[in-house]
């Protein structure tokens, strides 16, 4: 009923929200234990929630070209279980506060009696050295996509395996890797490349991870 919903919303203070967070963590750990799950894939993402009014923290997001919120969300990539979410202003960048968001999840991994390996997976919006470095500190592997740029493409073209007599009437897909360090990174990282040349085309299209 409407009065029940109203009482529920009015009770949502910080203490209650923290209790609900602990409850989610408890259920996830219980489920992992029953499944005897030893590996954990944290799928990190951001999404957009449209708003239709003057709600607090609502703002225009140029990427989605609409007004609303831009929350962070995390799911277990193996089981699909919901792990965590946090609300952010609509104009926050994808990786804003992502490290603080991940720290409790990394702590769960380190203290879990069942998990032995953890992998963070994210799109190019999370390609930031702050996340890389935190993963190294907490012994978490990561696979994060990179936005293509001229320097990455030049590296890829130099590393692309050559074929003496390439048949351009058929498509070709090649996988390879190289070490790469962007200007804001404090050390090189391994970059894996998927290079695809469609049939009847001369140039490759690159995906960088």
């Amino acid at each position: 009923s409407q009065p029940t919903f109203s009482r529920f919303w009015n009770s949502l203070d910080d203490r209650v929200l923290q209790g609900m967070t602990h409850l989610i963590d408890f259920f996830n750990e219980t489920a992992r234990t029953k499944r005897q799950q030893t590996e954990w894939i944290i799928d990190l993402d951001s999404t957009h929630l449209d708003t239709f009014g003057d709600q607090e923290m609502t703002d225009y997001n140029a990427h989605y070209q609409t007004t609303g919120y831009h929350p962070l969300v995390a799911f277990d990539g193996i089981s699909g279980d919901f792990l965590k979410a946090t609300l952010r202003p609509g104009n926050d960048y994808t990786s804003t506060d992502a490290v603080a968001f991940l720290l409790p999840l990394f702590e769960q991994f380190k203290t879990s009696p069942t998990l032995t390996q953890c992998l963070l997976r994210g799109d190019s919006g999370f390609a930031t050295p702050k996340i890389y470095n935190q993963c190294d500190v907490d012994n978490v592997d990561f696979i994060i996509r990179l936005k293509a740029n001229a320097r990455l493409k030049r590296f890829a073209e130099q590393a692309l395996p050559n074929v003496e007599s390439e048949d351009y009437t058929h498509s070709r897909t090649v996988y390879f890797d190289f070490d790469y360090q962007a200007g804001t990174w404090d050390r090189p990282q391994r970059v894996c490349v998927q290079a695809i040349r469609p049939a009847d085309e001369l140039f490759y299209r690159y995906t960088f991870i």
Side-chain angles (χ1 to χ4, degrees):
S1 65
Q2 181 58 52
T4 301
F5 274 113
S6 296
R7 286 192 294 271
F8 174 72
W9 290 120
N10 290 333
S11 71
L12 289 181
D13 56 16
D14 289 340
R15 180 184 58 84
V16 173
L17 290 175
Q18 187 177 17
M20 293 175 69
T21 299
H22 290 320
L23 194 60
I24 292 171
D25 295 344
F26 170 77
F27 282 137
N28 282 327
E29 184 61 48
T30 302
R32 286 193 296 268
T33 301
K34 291 183 71 68
R35 288 193 295 260
Q36 297 182 332
Q37 181 178 340
T38 59
E39 298 177 345
W40 204 21
I41 297 178
I42 300 175
D43 272 334
L44 178 65
D45 204 355
S46 66
T47 186
H48 194 272
L49 302 175
D50 289 344
T51 56
F52 304 92
D54 296 323
Q55 291 91 337
E56 184 180 4
M57 298 197 318
T58 189
D59 216 321
Y60 181 77
N61 187 296
H63 176 77
Y64 293 97
Q65 297 185 347
T66 185
T67 299
Y69 298 115
H70 192 200
L72 279 173
V73 295
F75 292 85
D76 180 359
I78 294 177
S79 66
D81 292 345
F82 168 77
L83 301 178
K84 188 180 180 185
T86 189
L87 196 63
R88 301 183 302 174
N91 60 350
D92 270 5
Y93 184 66
T94 303
S95 62
T96 299
D97 297 329
V99 171
F101 177 80
L102 288 168
L103 283 176
L105 296 176
F106 289 174
E107 187 63 27
Q108 286 184 51
F109 162 61
K110 291 189 293 184
T111 58
S112 171
T114 58
L115 295 174
T116 60
Q117 185 175 6
C118 181
L119 170 72
L120 175 68
R121 189 163 57 185
D123 61 24
S124 60
F126 300 104
T128 167
K130 291 183 179 180
I131 293 180
Y132 303 159
N133 294 339
Q134 192 61 52
C135 286
D136 288 340
V137 169
D138 290 310
N139 197 30
V140 172
D141 298 322
F142 57 90
I143 298 177
I144 298 177
R145 184 167 179 167
L146 293 174
K147 294 179 181 178
N149 58 51
R151 188 161 174 253
L152 274 172
K153 289 180 180 178
R154 186 168 64 253
F155 272 68
E157 289 167 355
Q158 293 171 352
L160 182 67
N162 292 323
V163 176
E164 292 184 0
S165 56
E166 187 165 350
D167 184 359
Y168 287 93
T169 62
H170 294 84
S171 62
R172 182 190 182 208
T173 301
V174 185
Y175 300 92
F176 53 95
D177 62 78
F178 52 79
D179 289 337
Y180 171 79
Q181 183 174 358
T184 58
W185 300 358
D186 57 4
R187 61 184 178 278
Q189 300 283 356
R190 180 190 179 204
V191 175
C192 299
V193 185
Q194 180 195 56
I196 298 177
R197 182 191 52 72
D200 300 322
E201 292 191 18
L202 294 176
F203 301 105
Y204 283 81
R205 303 171 186 175
Y206 300 104
T207 300
F208 303 97
I209 298 177

